[in-house]
Amino acid sequence: MAQKGDLLLQMKGVQKRFGGAIALRGTDLSIRAGEIHALLGENGAGKSTMLKILAGVHVNDGGTISLGDKPFTTGSPQASIEQGIAVIYQEPSLFLDLTLAENVFIGRQPMKGVAIDWAQAQNEAARLFAELGVPLDPKRQARGLSIADQQVVEIAKALSMNANIILMDEPTAALSASEVERLMTVMKSLKAANKAVIFVSHRLDEVFAISDYITVMRDGATVSENPVGGTDLQKVIKEMVGRELTELFPKTENKIGDVALEIKDLTNPAYFRNISFTVRHGEIVALAGLVGSGRSEVARAIFGIDKYTTGSVKVNGKDLAKGSPVAAMAEKIALVPEDRRQQGLFMIAGVDRNISMESFDRIKGKIFLNFKKERALTETWREKLSIKYAAPSNPVESLSGGNQQKTVLAKWLATDPDILIVDEPTRGIDVGTKAEVHKLINAAAGEGKAVLMISSELPEVLGMADRIIVMREGHQVAELSRKEATQEKVIAAATTGSKGA
Amino acid sequence: MKLKLRFSWDTSILIILAVVWVAASLTTDNFLSSINVSQIFSNTSEITIMAFGVIFLIILGEIDLSVASILALGSSMLGWSYAHGAPIWLAILICIAVGTLCGFINGWLVTKVGLGSLAVTIGTLALYRGIANGILGTNTINEFPEFWTGFGFDTIGTSFIPQSLPIIILFGIGFGLLLHNTPFGRRTLAIGQSPEAARFAGVNVIKHKIIVFTFTGFMSGVAGVIYTFRFSTAQADNGIGLELLVISACLLGGVSIFGGIGTMWGVIAGVLLAGSVESWLTLREINAQWRTIVTGILLLISVAAPVLINKAKAAKVRAGNKS
């Protein structure tokens, strides 16, 4: 058994590239027994890649990793588990119809002769739950457990396999405040048992509340590693951001006109409360905040995918009917949704059919569709957005992610909207295509369209927006003009709700 | 385009149909005789008519197992109202109206109450047939005006074209255009491919589904009229089991059981293939059990083949776009 303070894991100069993209360019990390170690950084800083290397999902290209005095054998998740490394994901994957004891010992049930020794499995599971400070009933089904308790079961399972390094990838992202408390209790129990916990989180208040050490990453490298007493919120935010970002975003100064979209006191108690803002013609307004803060839900409510309980949405001064995408489209609103595969595209349909889907009026005669016009429409947008595909009838599932995203943009730009709402417009696409998408959004604003952009990428928010509205846990916590906005202010508002910082 | 022709299932089925015709005419004396061809068309009238609605439902990702019961209920209502003194044109309208209403009820239960269409239409399959039983019991009505009973059985003039064929062709063209050449058809395919994405594209999914369930009921009512006159019989067990033949024909015609994929001409070929095989086996005097086995095998092939073909096709396209 490791003693408190023993070095359990050391990563030195770890490198990883995916094709041409460098994910890690020499990262260091040291973890000791009985320590909670926070790993911080913006999206794309390389945190997840680090965790995945330790979990055995990826293999590092360079650098050394050692576990205590032994080298770490990479290669498979199984190998990582055998070396005492366990990963707890944001979304636990329990067998919901099995009991908790069955879940903990799945595939490794204790045997008595030829039969499974359920009594022992249940006792052992109960002991593990007690050790973690969460006395769950090992005989109950997993169905109906909160996400936090499901995570507890996963952690118990890890402990039953003698894990001594527990990795948690944004474990609190999907949890409510009381569930977060519960998970923190568990993390403290793990610490008391001399395990090491590495966790990734974007909620900085939590990080400071529970961590012993904080490692900050940026652009695939370690920026700093400090005991929690040796740093502070300001410093950490600065280290996470740390770069000039204006060049990536060719912001044009557009003529800003009348109010196009006016949201007033919009409330849907499950997701957001009292959201009020306006977007003017020619203006780009960003909705910033953490994933799960209610930004996408506001966009869905405006476009009519979901209903809201109170408040109003006005388009050019006129009330917009709620709960009807058809009405929203009639008022020339377009929504480019966050999940292009599920919401934005018909994956098995051709590029042409996807692009024309919202623009039938443009390609039809009195009754019938005109296929020539459909081809012409597709060709127009292929040229404008330089979408790459072999033939217009090729299913969009055969296109690269970037070209798929361009196709979603194309289909909505083809409707010639007055109000363009884009939700995570550059998620999962490469840097070059990102810049193109930014240019397109700028151009749309330049044509006098009102743009509402939701983005988790701060550089994108700061580089593109005329105004930034920050949401936190369903509330609108700050509105910042382009001039006053800084990364520090936005992060502070999104993570702690405070406007200063 | 070449690629598409080489790989798609609904093209393959045309080839299979041709092969069956050639083989059947070589192994029997009168397969391609005008009377037999006329019989094939005539025998498949109701299946074809109902398939024109059901294809839209399967593409939507839904199903209607109650079509044959709707046919029977409509037929019973036709017979009952005619026997009770309604003029024949009114009895026909009642048959079609009852069918339409039944379809609407299916659609309403599926979309507004939120029950799965498989469950709902298994229920209404029994319910509608049950009502038909309640109306006619074991009675059979077979006194209809001669003008109408020839319909669907007699041929046009001295030709071998059954009188129901022009109606089927008209509906076929109409629904074919609806599916392939109008926004309505595109939305049908879109809903089947991804209901969520369809909602984000501004499609009123619920309304759309109710419309399709309703016109499927309408078509089942029309099939009820043709069936009644073709056999000159209105009774409660008319058309028992036809729903499976309708669905088989759609799948045989390349409509994906998972929704989102299907062509009208594929389905027409599917109906003709099923009808031709049936007729061939009958002419060869193969007994009924064997005919059922052959139909079953055909159906299994038809479900498996499109999946395999589409996989091969998708892999090819992906490879093409990557290079």
Side-chain angles (χ1 to χ4, degrees):
Chain A
M1 184 51 97
Q3 298 297 304
K4 184 169 168 62
D6 285 0
L7 197 62
L8 285 185
L9 167 74
Q10 191 159 38
M11 301 175 84
K12 272 195 179 149
V14 171
Q15 294 174 9
K16 176 72 191 169
R17 24 166 92 236
F18 295 103
I22 300 171
L24 295 178
R25 56 179 84 243
T27 332
D28 304 327
L29 185 68
S30 310
I31 310 289
R32 285 150 294 267
E35 167 178 303
I36 298 177
H37 198 121
L39 197 53
L40 304 181
E42 292 187 280
N43 292 336
K47 298 163 307 204
S48 296
T49 310
M50 286 264 277
L51 294 191
K52 281 183 179 155
I53 288 172
L54 290 174
V57 177
H58 296 320
V59 178
N60 54 313
D61 304 325
T64 58
I65 305 175
S66 50
L67 294 168
D69 44 11
K70 280 176 282 187
F72 169 67
T73 324
T74 55
S76 75
Q78 194 54 40
S80 289
I81 290 169
E82 281 162 11
Q83 294 171 88
I85 299 175
V87 194
I88 311 301
Y89 292 100
Q90 212 183 94
E91 301 288 338
S93 52
L94 297 184
F95 296 92
L96 295 178
D97 294 311
L98 299 185
T99 66
L100 303 191
E102 286 172 301
N103 267 291
V104 169
F105 292 102
I106 192 111
R108 307 165 291 112
Q109 295 90 342
M111 303 298 283
K112 194 158 71 186
V114 291
I116 293 174
D117 187 351
W118 286 120
Q120 200 205 326
Q122 281 159 6
N123 290 339
E124 187 62 10
R127 189 185 63 77
L128 289 167
F129 293 147
E131 200 178 300
L132 291 171
V134 184
L136 297 168
D137 176 6
K139 281 182 261 180
R140 69 160 285 172
Q141 272 190 351
R143 190 177 298 283
L145 278 188
S146 69
I147 300 276
D149 286 342
Q150 292 188 36
Q151 288 172 339
V152 170
V153 177
E154 294 270 21
I155 294 169
K157 186 171 159 185
L159 293 181
S160 76
M161 293 188 279
N162 298 316
N164 52 16
I165 300 173
I166 317 260
L167 314 175
M168 299 188 182
D169 195 358
E170 295 199 47
T172 58
L175 303 187
S176 67
S178 62
E179 289 181 320
V180 170
E181 286 289 312
R182 194 155 198 173
L183 188 67
M184 285 193 170
T185 313
V186 171
M187 290 167 79
K188 283 179 191 151
S189 310
L190 289 171
K191 179 179 162 178
N194 280 334
K195 308 286 182 190
V197 178
I198 306 176
F199 87 113
V200 171
S201 175
H202 287 297
R203 298 195 185 169
L204 298 180
D205 41 353
E206 285 166 19
V207 167
F208 277 89
I210 193 151
S211 313
D212 301 307
Y213 271 83
I214 296 177
T215 291
V216 179
M217 291 182 67
R218 187 175 71 228
D219 295 335
T222 308
V223 182
S224 72
E225 185 189 324
N226 287 306
V228 73
T231 186
D232 58 50
L233 189 64
Q234 292 296 317
K235 204 171 153 220
V236 164
I237 292 175
K238 267 229 163 65
E239 285 168 351
M240 280 167 64
V241 177
R243 81 180 106 103
E244 294 300 315
L245 34 95
T246 39
E247 304 83 35
L248 238 171
F249 309 94
K251 177 71 186 164
T252 49
E253 291 304 325
N254 299 323
K255 202 174 141 283
I256 293 182
D258 292 336
V259 172
L261 180 68
E262 187 180 0
I263 312 299
K264 215 165 176 199
D265 292 327
L266 208 65
T267 299
N268 177 347
Y271 300 111
F272 52 84
R273 283 169 195 276
N274 299 321
I275 307 296
S276 300
F277 61 86
T278 58
V279 187
R280 291 170 175 275
H281 287 285
E283 190 183 32
I284 301 178
V285 172
L287 261 186
L290 301 180
V291 172
S293 59
R295 301 165 308 171
S296 298
E297 287 77 8
V298 169
R300 290 166 63 116
I302 295 171
F303 190 67
I305 296 288
D306 302 331
K307 287 193 173 157
Y308 48 89
T309 46
T310 54
S312 65
V313 177
K314 282 198 168 100
V315 177
N316 295 322
K318 274 193 342 203
D319 274 317
L320 178 70
K322 67 170 137 181
S324 166
V326 180
M329 283 168 70
E331 291 304 325
K332 309 197 82 176
I333 302 180
L335 170 62
V336 175
E338 61 178 328
D339 184 343
R340 62 175 167 261
R341 299 181 62 87
Q342 298 292 329
Q343 304 167 335
L345 294 168
F346 302 94
M347 298 303 286
I348 62 167
V351 181
D352 48 358
R353 291 186 167 209
N354 270 284
I355 288 181
S356 66
M357 186 68 205
E358 289 82 11
S359 307
F360 289 137
D361 288 346
R362 283 163 215 279
I363 60 161
K364 95 178 170 46
K366 270 210 173 68
I367 300 169
F368 296 118
L369 299 171
N370 181 328
F371 297 132
K372 243 189 214 154
K373 281 188 184 168
E374 183 171 49
R375 284 289 151 96
L377 182 81
T378 311
E379 181 57 23
T380 306
W381 289 99
R382 186 191 65 77
E383 258 171 38
K384 276 192 187 170
L385 273 62
S386 50
I387 308 172
K388 289 185 187 67
Y389 51 78
S393 60
N394 281 176
V396 285
E397 66 183 354
S398 67
L399 270 53
S400 71
N403 282 306
Q404 288 178 2
Q405 187 63 21
K406 286 187 192 171
T407 306
V408 190
L409 271 169
K411 69 195 289 193
W412 284 106
L413 289 173
T415 65
D416 190 22
D418 271 353
I419 298 167
L420 178 65
I421 307 174
V422 287
D423 195 351
E424 302 286 7
T426 61
R427 176 184 284 172
I429 61 181
D430 63 82
V431 179
T433 314
K434 263 184 192 177
E436 287 181 61
V437 168
H438 292 148
K439 235 184 263 171
L440 285 167
I441 293 172
N442 268 323
E447 290 165 19
K449 300 185 196 308
V451 178
L452 179 63
M453 181 181 78
I454 296 169
S455 173
S456 296
E457 282 193 48
L458 274 180
E460 184 167 278
V461 167
L462 292 170
M464 302 276 298
D466 295 297
R467 255 182 321 126
I468 299 166
I469 289 153
V470 187
M471 286 182 67
R472 178 175 184 270
E473 290 174 7
H475 294 274
Q476 189 173 342
V477 288
E479 177 166 345
L480 303 162
S481 71
R482 185 174 176 76
K483 265 197 199 123
E484 53 183 346
T486 60
Q487 298 229 6
E488 289 83 354
K489 280 184 189 170
V490 176
I491 291 183
T495 54
T496 66
S498 75
K499 219 177 161 174
Chain B
M1 200 61 206
K2 247 182 198 165
L3 182 109
K4 208 173 167 184
L5 276 179
R6 213 181 309 149
F7 280 105
S8 78
W9 169 253
D10 35 17
T11 327
S12 319
I13 194 171
L14 279 186
I15 297 164
I16 296 172
L17 184 60
V19 170
V20 166
W21 277 353
V22 171
S25 58
L26 290 178
T27 53
T28 60
D29 290 337
N30 38 13
F31 182 81
L32 283 183
S33 70
S34 54
I35 291 203
N36 196 54
V37 171
S38 173
Q39 274 299 310
I40 292 175
F41 282 123
S42 180
N43 284 338
T44 51
S45 310
E46 297 86 15
I47 296 174
T48 316
I49 292 274
M50 290 191 281
F52 289 154
V54 171
I55 175 182
F56 280 82
L57 278 178
I58 300 181
I59 289 175
L60 277 177
E62 302 287 349
I63 196 103
D64 187 348
L65 294 175
S66 72
V67 286
S69 297
I70 296 178
L71 178 155
L73 178 56
S75 168
S76 300
M77 286 297 291
L78 196 169
W80 183 86
S81 52
Y82 182 68
H84 284 72
I88 191 71
W89 60 267
L90 183 62
I92 289 170
L93 278 185
I94 287 173
C95 176
I96 294 172
V98 164
T100 311
L101 180 68
C102 290
F104 174 78
I105 292 171
N106 283 342
W108 187 83
L109 286 171
V110 169
T111 56
K112 297 284 182 174
V113 186
L115 305 167
S117 55
L118 190 67
V120 165
T121 59
I122 283 178
T124 53
L125 173 145
L127 175 70
Y128 296 152
R129 176 108 28 210
I131 298 173
N133 264 314
I135 293 167
L136 284 188
T138 51
N139 296 340
T140 315
I141 292 157
N142 34 29
E143 303 282 316
F144 293 107
E146 195 149 326
F147 169 78
W148 287 98
T149 50
F151 177 81
F153 187 71
D154 286 355
T155 56
I156 295 172
T158 53
S159 72
F160 65 93
I161 302 166
Q163 287 182 352
S164 58
L165 194 61
I167 298 190
I168 292 173
I169 290 173
L170 222 59
F171 274 124
I173 291 172
F175 280 108
L177 286 171
L178 183 67
L179 180 59
H180 297 296
N181 295 62
T182 67
F184 186 90
R186 286 290 179 84
R187 291 191 180 113
T188 306
L189 287 156
I191 292 171
Q193 287 161 7
S194 169
E196 192 181 3
R199 247 156 64 73
F200 275 88
V203 178
N204 190 334
V205 176
I206 289 180
K207 188 171 138 196
H208 198 99
K209 284 187 176 175
I210 290 183
I211 292 174
V212 174
F213 270 106
T214 306
F215 74 60
T216 302
F218 170 88
M219 293 304 278
S220 306
V222 172
V225 175
I226 295 176
Y227 193 99
T228 308
F229 292 145
R230 196 156 72 86
F231 294 99
S232 206
T233 302
Q235 58 183 25
D237 61 356
N238 269 358
I240 249 173
L242 279 190
E243 66 278 343
L244 290 183
L245 292 180
V246 173
I247 293 163
S248 309
C250 287
L251 301 187
L252 207 51
V255 180
S256 165
I257 191 70
F258 307 112
I261 300 171
T263 60
M264 190 53 82
W265 54 282
V267 167
I268 292 170
V271 174
L272 286 179
L273 180 59
S276 304
V277 170
E278 174 84 22
S279 160
W280 180 19
L281 298 177
T282 310
L283 289 176
R284 296 281 298 166
E285 294 176 3
I286 310 278
N287 69 33
Q289 289 94 314
W290 279 105
R291 293 206 301 257
T292 315
I293 290 171
V294 170
T295 314
I297 290 171
L298 258 181
L299 189 60
L300 274 179
I301 293 172
S302 73
V303 178
V307 175
L308 299 177
I309 287 172
N310 281 327
K311 264 188 191 157
K313 202 161 125 185
K316 189 150 190 154
V317 171
R318 255 195 297 279
N321 277 350
K322 289 249 166 69
S323 59

